[in-house]
Amino acid sequence: MFIDNFRLRFYILFMESIQQLRSQFQQELLSISTLTQHEEISIKYLGRSGSINTLLKTIKDVPLEQKKEFGATVNGLKKEIEHALEEKKQQVLSQTEDAQYTDVTLPGTPYARGSVHLVTIAIEEISRVFSKLGFNRMSYPEIEWEQYSFENLNMPPEHPARDDFETFFVDHQPSDVFGKMILSPHTSSGQTREMQRVQKPPIRMINLAKCYRPNWDASHVPMFHQFEGLCVDTGITISHLKGTIDYFAKEFFGANRKTRIRPFHFQFTEPSFEVDVSCGVCDGTGIIDGTKCKICKSGWLELGGAGMVHPNVLKAGGIDSDVYSGWAFGFGIERTFMMKEGLNLDDIRVLYSGDVRFLEQF
Ligand code: PHE
């Protein structure tokens, strides 16, 4: 009687725990959606110290007559679990073949290779041309004082010429000496900085830097680049300026390109000029196949401003204007590069849009 009772109790407990394990497994089986989860659950049930083995180890406590049945039931559950897991594995594999199953022997996906931005290409090429002429490559501050951008360039406070260089002001305590802090609107601010740095001519500088003006339309971006040439020495004349610009045009654009200078006005140069380079698309004629050249319309493309350094600028830089003279020019890097490539962009903002389809062409 005692034995029978004991057997019965054992049997009930045993069947309950088998049933519990089965339903727990079935629930967890449903939650499997990746191979990693599949592996975790396989280990949990079928691993060396998984639920099935733990259960099998209790066989030593099972009454002798029931050992056989116990073993058969547990092994039956084991087979059931193995079978269900195998089926699940196939299902997971077929659903998430690419995402989950990586064949490590396949060649990897190559990284997309970037290229240098066209403004960087232009900066390197421009620097190369001027380094052959012995010019110092500088990069004067983007955040500048009014003093260097205006006063030192013969544009006192309230002078209307400042309007030509619309300016971003930096929210910073103004200086008693240098005025307000601004984002440099042109690279000409580097002129008196270089004069103060070198102190005694000769000076040959090429300043390539970022400039800022608050314009945003198809032909303007608020951040752009300029390169500024400055040459100061004894006996420097306009012909040195023209010769240098010619040399640059032939080296940078090609041997067949010409330049011209036209009278203009800048506060910081006297006399002042605008500089043009002959169009490379129509070869300076302004006409292609009997119609107006779409790139230049006239045979010439405008490079930028230039002139002989104003005596007041030399003075502001600490240079004796009775002994020394000099020339300066300032051209836009983006514009210059577009002229080289014969590019006629409808909207120059594409330069900074980060669109690789545009950028990877250069
Ligand atoms: N700084 C002038 C501009 O941005 C260009 C310039 C530079 C003109 C040097 C004369 C001399 O328009």
Side-chain angles (χ1 to χ4, degrees):
M1 187 61 198
F2 166 79
I3 295 223
D4 279 345
N5 248 345
F6 178 78
R7 278 187 196 147
L8 187 65
R9 271 212 341 262
F10 176 82
Y11 188 71
I12 292 170
L13 276 177
F14 167 62
M15 287 317 278
E16 266 176 14
S17 59
I18 287 280
Q19 201 40 49
Q20 218 180 351
L21 199 58
R22 178 181 282 118
S23 60
Q24 187 193 335
F25 168 74
Q26 278 164 352
Q27 224 167 24
E28 291 189 20
L29 184 73
L30 286 177
S31 70
I32 295 179
S33 60
T34 66
L35 283 181
T36 320
Q37 288 168 348
H38 183 277
E39 171 127 12
E40 276 166 16
I41 289 179
S42 303
I43 292 169
K44 181 171 172 187
Y45 288 91
L46 304 173
R48 205 179 318 164
S49 33
S51 313
I52 294 289
N53 269 346
T54 313
L55 204 57
L56 279 174
K57 275 178 204 150
T58 63
I59 201 162
K60 59 182 186 318
D61 305 324
V62 175
L64 198 62
E65 316 77 62
Q66 288 180 316
K67 277 192 200 293
K68 207 174 159 196
E69 191 186 349
F70 175 88
T73 313
V74 178
N75 275 319
L77 179 60
K78 186 180 176 185
K79 287 228 156 57
E80 208 179 302
I81 292 178
E82 278 172 352
H83 182 72
L85 280 172
E86 186 49 40
E87 247 179 21
K88 190 72 182 181
K89 187 173 189 173
Q90 294 311 322
Q91 191 188 331
V92 171
L93 276 180
S94 66
Q95 271 169 4
T96 56
E97 210 154 307
D98 291 341
Q100 294 298 327
Y101 196 68
T102 310
D103 180 350
V104 293
T105 62
L106 285 174
T109 317
Y111 281 109
R113 253 178 92 173
S115 59
V116 175
H117 191 273
L118 52 87
V119 169
T120 310
I121 300 174
I123 287 174
E124 288 310 316
E125 285 186 19
I126 294 164
S127 305
R128 184 182 53 79
V129 174
F130 283 96
S131 78
K132 287 208 242 172
L133 294 176
F135 278 59
N136 272 332
R137 175 176 164 173
M138 303 303 289
S139 189
Y140 277 117
E142 286 171 47
I143 299 178
E144 187 49 286
W145 296 108
E146 282 183 307
Q147 173 90 27
Y148 285 97
S149 291
F150 298 122
E151 273 87 338
N152 285 359
L153 295 173
N154 201 31
M155 288 183 276
E158 314 307 328
H159 195 285
R162 287 195 183 204
D163 294 348
D164 297 338
F165 305 94
E166 288 169 273
T167 306
F168 283 111
F169 289 88
V170 177
D171 193 3
H172 186 276
Q173 184 74 24
S175 145
D176 294 339
V177 184
F178 299 114
K180 292 189 189 122
M181 196 180 261
I182 60 175
L183 297 187
S184 183
H186 57 172
T187 43
S188 298
S189 45
Q191 288 188 21
T192 53
R193 283 199 175 270
E194 181 70 356
M195 291 174 198
Q196 289 174 355
R197 186 186 73 86
V198 176
Q199 290 182 8
K200 204 177 148 30
I203 294 172
R204 283 193 218 97
M205 170 200 78
I206 188 83
N207 174 28
L208 302 103
K210 288 194 174 81
C211 303
Y212 300 85
R213 293 182 204 172
N215 299 314
W216 179 253
D217 58 40
S219 48
H220 296 91
V221 277
M223 186 280 298
F224 57 101
H225 297 74
Q226 286 188 339
F227 61 112
E228 182 100 5
L230 174 70
C231 175
V232 182
D233 205 346
T234 49
I236 294 292
T237 67
I238 297 172
S239 52
H240 297 119
L241 168 66
K242 182 69 167 69
T244 308
I245 292 172
D246 264 347
Y247 176 80
F248 168 71
K250 291 187 190 309
E251 283 283 311
F252 185 78
F253 296 110
N256 58 336
R257 305 292 277 269
K258 298 181 191 62
T259 66
R260 70 175 184 188
I261 52 177
R262 289 178 283 110
F264 202 71
H265 173 80
F266 291 104
Q267 272 302 112
F268 34 96
T269 43
E270 183 58 38
S272 303
F273 312 104
E274 272 196 325
V275 181
D276 298 331
V277 61
S278 60
C279 176
V281 175
C282 61
D283 205 17
T285 60
I287 293 170
I288 294 180
D289 299 334
T291 53
K292 248 188 195 168
C293 173
K294 283 202 183 65
I295 300 283
C296 66
K297 299 190 179 82
S298 64
W300 297 95
L301 295 159
E302 191 188 309
L303 264 177
M308 297 307 289
V309 180
H310 195 289
N312 287 351
V313 177
L314 290 172
K315 274 178 214 144
I319 307 259
D320 186 345
S321 59
D322 291 331
V323 180
Y324 297 105
S325 57
W327 55 251
F329 68 78
F331 302 156
I333 293 181
E334 288 84 348
R335 273 181 67 82
T336 305
F337 186 78
M338 281 158 58
M339 287 177 201
K340 177 177 176 142
E341 298 287 310
L343 272 182
N344 192 13
L345 299 179
D346 296 337
D347 192 332
I348 74 157
R349 290 174 291 193
V350 70
L351 289 176
Y352 296 109
S353 67
D355 186 337
V356 286
R357 290 169 305 172
F358 171 74
L359 296 172
E360 68 192 0
Q361 299 174 72
F362 302 95

